[in-house]
Amino acid sequence: MEAVSRRSLELPVAGTPAADPDSARLHQLGYKQELKRGLSVLSNFALSFSIIAVMMGVTTTYNTGLRYGGPASMTLGWLVVAALNGCVALSMAEICSAYPTSGGLYYWSAKLAGKEWAPLASWVTGWFNIVGQWAGTTSVDFSLAQLVQVIILLGTGGRNGGGYMASKYVVLAIYGAILVTHGLVNSLPIQWLAWFGHLGAFWNAAGIFVLVILIPAVAKERASLEFIFTHLNTDNGMGIHHKAYILAIGLLMSQYSLIGYDASAHMTEETKNADRSGPTGLVTAVALSSAFGWVFLVALTSLMTEDIPSLLDPGNDAGGYAVAQALHSAFRRRYGSGAGALLCLGIVAVTTFLCGSACVTSNSRMGYAFSRDGAMPFSRFWYRVNKQEVPSNVVWLSVSVAFVMALTSLGSQVAFQAMLSVATVGAYIAYGLPIFFRVTTARRSFVPGPFHLGKYGLLVGWVAVTWVALVTVLFSLPVAYPVAEDNFNYTPVFVGGVLLLSVASWVLHARFWFQGPITNVDL
């Protein structure tokens, strides 16, 4: 890691001259206004809502929820996850209002951990945040490549009708093309990114609305309410039979579907009235996503009239993609053709594409801020903006790292599937660390911004920290018994690797020069 010869962050006094209140506040936090501040509260919300993209999250992880617990673990588990995840979002929003910078989580940790621990806290939080985001981009765009492959398979006759089943190399090529497209989109000026964010938010909401009405209308057979809310699937074929264990693993679907809202924090330096708009966008995105996602989940589950093992069977027409198989069967029963299912899957594919684009946007802003503070190798190269005031170098870094991460799919699909867990656990560890410091070391010193939780801040914060700790443990547990090479859960390996490497690099190198977020203004 290269050292950057700038002063460690001590906040300038209020009243530092700047063009507007947002720039003045950013100057107080130690930074120049270098990115274009052109986003409204609606645009800030739209980017987080696009990244959360519950229609994408639910669809692409539905197999996991169906296998581990089935309908009960998904429909009821969603409500549990939404409530506890809401505490995480509220706590993050409160801190975001106090410190509206692109660095977001790692900056918060530095300011809340106390002077002695600030550099290490910032370093570890930052690396968990950026690696979690890289894994998130990888999981979203690779899920899109797999969905495109399923659409092509069903469109050419299905697995049992001579349909085209793409090889893992073709899927990887599709994935690469998607990443390049997202890199090009994110090299555009911020006004275009705001437009894509608005489109993503609209498409996600409108798509859910259309599918929630269309699915029950098309289905000749629908699952009973008792099945949707109480049926617990223990026939997972993975050797796990303990109901509580099954339900715990099944929560991954809900938890993965509700991540990415730290984008609101990372976009605050480009958002007007950032100390209010950032937290408002964050909380609103999570609340609406939780509500829309549950309705969509219930509608999808009403289609699950076939036995669960057959929906998950790799030998079915959709190659084991349960949502695609259920949709295809429903349209075929009603109209004699599964063409309508392709339209539904196409709606999900567009949402996933827009989600992936927003992921790269958020990831690049985090990378820009982290390199601005000298924490990344070759920071001076990544910490550059182009003529459109966009950090294009780090955009392509995000795309490149995401492609390298997906190369694991060529060697082991099991290892690649752990990306879902890594994206979830890595993100939530980064979410949880500043909240932990807020309720411990900064319990009495924290000065809230315009958005705050008042006397409930500490209580909500402790609930959030406890949930993050529980999630980290749950998603690191074995997902099959007996444990073997082809079913090993690589999540603790990847997450432990990030922790080990970040701490080792700190001890061996970074502690000698990294002092936490650094100023780039003249005090």
Side-chain angles (χ1 to χ4, degrees), residues 111-131:
K111 298 309 298 176
L112 297 170
K115 189 173 183 179
E116 182 180 355
W117 293 101
L120 176 59
S122 178
W123 180 265
V124 174
T125 302
W127 279 107
F128 266 109
N129 193 190
I130 199 165
V131 172

Side-chain angles (χ1 to χ4, degrees), residues 241-254:
H241 305 293
H242 194 284
K243 292 181 180 180
Y245 198 120
I246 291 171
L247 286 170
I249 297 176
L251 292 178
L252 176 61
M253 188 219 72
S254 302

Side-chain angles (χ1 to χ4, degrees), residues 105-188:
L105 310 173
Y106 80 88
Y107 184 98
W108 304 347
S109 286
K111 298 309 298 176
L112 297 170
K115 189 173 183 179
E116 182 180 355
W117 293 101
L120 176 59
S122 178
W123 180 265
V124 174
T125 302
W127 279 107
F128 266 109
N129 193 190
I130 199 165
V131 172
Q133 286 191 342
W134 284 333
T137 299
T138 303
S139 65
V140 170
D141 279 6
F142 201 85
S143 293
L144 176 56
Q146 291 174 318
L147 180 57
V148 169
Q149 181 264 317
V150 170
I151 292 173
I152 293 171
L153 175 63
L154 290 175
T156 53
R159 191 178 185 104
N160 298 312
Y164 174 70
M165 186 72 178
S167 69
K168 59 185 179 182
Y169 299 101
V170 172
V171 173
L172 187 65
I174 295 171
Y175 169 71
I178 293 168
L179 279 176
V180 169
T181 304
H182 283 157
L184 293 172
V185 168
N186 276 276
S187 298
L188 297 172

Side-chain angles (χ1 to χ4, degrees), residues 73 90 185 237 301 364 419:
S73 74
L90 285 169
V185 168
T301 306
S364 63
M419 286 295 170

Side-chain angles (χ1 to χ4, degrees), residues 141-376:
D141 279 6
F142 201 85
S143 293
L144 176 56
Q146 291 174 318
L147 180 57
V148 169
Q149 181 264 317
V150 170
I151 292 173
I152 293 171
L153 175 63
L154 290 175
T156 53
R159 191 178 185 104
N160 298 312
Y164 174 70
M165 186 72 178
S167 69
K168 59 185 179 182
Y169 299 101
V170 172
V171 173
L172 187 65
I174 295 171
Y175 169 71
I178 293 168
L179 279 176
V180 169
T181 304
H182 283 157
L184 293 172
V185 168
N186 276 276
S187 298
L188 297 172
I190 188 63
Q191 294 91 336
W192 282 97
L193 295 183
W195 184 85
F196 275 103
H198 284 224
L199 177 61
F202 168 78
W203 191 275
N204 192 40
I208 288 175
F209 181 77
V210 169
L211 293 181
V212 165
I213 293 175
L214 183 63
I215 288 171
V218 167
K220 277 190 171 183
E221 301 175 16
R222 291 192 292 273
S224 66
L225 290 177
E226 181 181 4
F227 176 85
I228 292 172
F229 294 109
T230 66
H231 179 72
L232 179 65
N233 175 48
T234 57
D235 185 13
N236 49 61
M238 307 301 285
I240 298 176
H241 305 293
H242 194 284
K243 292 181 180 180
Y245 198 120
I246 291 171
L247 286 170
I249 297 176
L251 292 178
L252 176 61
M253 188 219 72
S254 302
Q255 193 73 10
Y256 174 78
S257 299
L258 293 170
I259 61 171
Y261 45 85
D262 56 312
S264 286
H266 295 305
M267 301 305 294
T268 50
E269 288 186 33
E270 295 163 89
T271 302
K272 300 171 184 175
N273 301 315
D275 55 1
R276 296 179 184 273
S277 298
T280 299
L282 190 158
V283 172
T284 306
V286 171
L288 289 180
S289 294
S290 298
F292 286 7
W294 188 76
V295 173
F296 179 62
L297 180 57
V298 170
L300 272 186
T301 306
S302 71
L303 278 180
M304 304 301 149
T305 55
E306 301 176 42
D307 64 280
I308 291 175
S310 70
L311 288 168
L312 297 171
D313 182 4
N316 64 31
D317 277 334
Y321 202 115
V323 171
Q325 181 63 33
L327 284 169
H328 194 251
S329 297
F331 274 93
R332 225 170 18 180
R333 291 191 196 103
R334 172 70 69 177
Y335 301 110
S337 167
L342 302 183
L343 176 62
C344 294
L345 294 174
I347 292 174
V348 177
V350 173
T351 295
T352 309
F353 177 85
L354 294 169
C355 170
S357 179
C359 283
V360 174
T361 303
S362 178
N363 198 181
S364 63
R365 271 42 179 194
M366 168 57 197
Y368 163 82
F370 213 31
S371 59
R372 176 174 60 187
D373 290 323
M376 293 177 65

